[in-house]
């Protein structure tokens, strides 16, 4: 049982390049989230999904797009990378038991934009 | 979701209990208190949650005041591996959608 897997773990891009981060979960969770974390800062929500085929904007959605075509996968795309998008990206998926919101996080993807 | 207030940092001696406070004075009756932690460079990890009763699991204990306006996360015997940022979050029961983290408390456990 792998939990939440993020690929790639590390990536270096040049300004203007595009890329996609993949988040895969094998826990049959409905809810999935993408966060970014800059050095010394807290987590900021980029986009999230409350089910297959649905996505919604978080706090800092500009410059990113997402898709949730399959329940187990949540993709985060950068169409034209900028140095300001240098960050560590975390994906999470959520399940509820007894009405509680419990998130399981991936190990993170470290992106550097030159 | 109700706003939470946590001290920005605190130190704890190894082997001693770490008591992490969280203020949530505007909490509603249908909101849970959650605690997560983030060890350096790793993804956050769920610790515990509670509604109004005190809760305990293998990681920690959660004490919620009777008026529910504040809570304390207790790490009974802190180890160096407990050095992390601890987040206190309040959320409506069985609600999803935006799930936002605040600044948390940086806990440093010293030998």
């Amino acid at each position: 049982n792998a939990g939440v897997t993020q690929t790639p773990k590390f990536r270096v891009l040049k300004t203007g390049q595009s890329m996609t981060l993949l988040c895969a979960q094998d826990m049959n969770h409905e809810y999935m989230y993408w966060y970014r974390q800059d050095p010394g800062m807290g987590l900021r929500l980029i986009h999230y999904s409350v089910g297959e085929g649905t996505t919604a904007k978080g706090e800092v959605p500009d410059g990113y797009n997402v898709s949730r075509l399959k329940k187990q996968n949540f993709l985060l795309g950068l169409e034209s990378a900028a140095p300001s998008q240098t960050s560590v990206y975390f994906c999470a998926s959520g399940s509820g038991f007894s009405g509680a919101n419990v998130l399981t996080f991936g190990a993170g993807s470290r992106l550097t934009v030159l | 979701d109700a706003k939470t207030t946590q001290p920005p940092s605190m130190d704890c001696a190894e082997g001693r209990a770490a008591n992490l406070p969280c203020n949530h004075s505007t909490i509603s009756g249908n909101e849970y208190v959650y605690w997560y932690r983030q060890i350096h460079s790793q993804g956050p990890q769920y610790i515990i949650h509670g509604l109004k009763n005190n809760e305990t699991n293998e990681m920690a204990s959660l004490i919620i005041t009777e008026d529910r306006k504040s809570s304390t996360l207790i790490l009974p015997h802190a180890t160096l591996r407990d050095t992390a940022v601890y987040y206190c979050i309040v959320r409506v029961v069985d609600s999803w959608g935006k799930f936002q983290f605040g600044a948390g408390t940086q806990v440093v456990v010293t030998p």
Side-chain angles (χ1 to χ4, degrees):
Chain A
N1 190 342
V4 178
T5 303
Q6 294 183 227
T7 52
K9 289 185 170 51
F10 301 93
R11 183 74 186 269
V12 178
L13 288 177
K14 294 181 179 178
T15 297
Q17 288 184 318
S18 63
M19 76 158 295
T20 300
L21 297 175
L22 170 62
C23 177
Q25 53 97 359
D26 60 2
M27 298 170 285
N28 201 35
H29 287 172
E30 283 294 331
Y31 314 102
M32 297 188 75
Y33 299 80
W34 274 109
Y35 297 87
R36 62 175 287 175
Q37 186 170 38
D38 300 330
M41 304 289 288
L43 293 156
R44 291 187 291 170
L45 180 63
I46 305 172
H47 285 282
Y48 63 98
S49 169
V50 298
E52 182 178 318
T54 72
T55 63
K57 295 180 180 179
E59 301 172 78
V60 289
D62 294 342
Y64 304 95
N65 57 74
V66 287
S67 65
R68 182 103 181 266
L69 299 180
K70 294 183 178 180
K71 186 177 184 179
Q72 63 269 33
N73 296 336
F74 194 29
L75 279 64
L76 178 71
L78 287 72
E79 290 186 346
S80 179
S84 60
Q85 294 177 303
T86 293
S87 191
V88 179
Y89 292 84
F90 289 102
C91 175
S93 69
S95 70
F97 61 91
S98 299
N101 305 131
V102 177
L103 294 184
T104 301
F105 281 80
S109 297
R110 186 175 297 273
L111 175 65
T112 301
V113 183
L114 303 176
Chain B
D1 298 332
K3 178 179 168 58
T4 62
T5 303
Q6 299 177 253
S9 64
M10 61 183 294
D11 295 335
C12 178
E14 188 178 21
R16 305 291 293 270
N19 296 289
L20 283 62
C22 180
N23 182 286
H24 32 79
S25 59
T26 61
I27 193 170
S28 300
N30 64 343
E31 290 182 310
Y32 276 122
V33 178
Y34 295 82
W35 284 86
Y36 284 75
R37 75 178 182 183
Q38 185 176 23
I39 296 170
H40 182 63
S41 299
Q42 298 180 20
Q45 174 190 26
Y46 164 79
I47 302 173
I48 198 167
H49 74 279
L51 187 60
K52 54 184 177 181
N53 297 322
N54 298 337
E55 303 287 344
T56 296
N57 63 20
E58 65 279 3
M59 292 181 68
S61 295
L62 173 60
I63 307 298
I64 303 174
T65 58
E66 192 169 342
D67 64 6
R68 301 186 70 242
K69 293 184 176 182
S70 65
S71 60
T72 300
L73 180 74
I74 300 173
L75 308 176
H77 304 286
T79 71
L80 299 180
R81 289 174 295 179
D82 292 321
T83 292
V85 177
Y86 288 78
Y87 298 97
C88 171
I89 301 164
V90 170
R91 288 184 60 82
V92 174
V93 171
D94 204 20
S95 73
W96 288 90
K98 290 186 179 181
F99 198 117
Q100 297 180 214
F101 290 72
T105 296
Q106 172 68 63
V107 173
V108 176
V109 180
T110 55

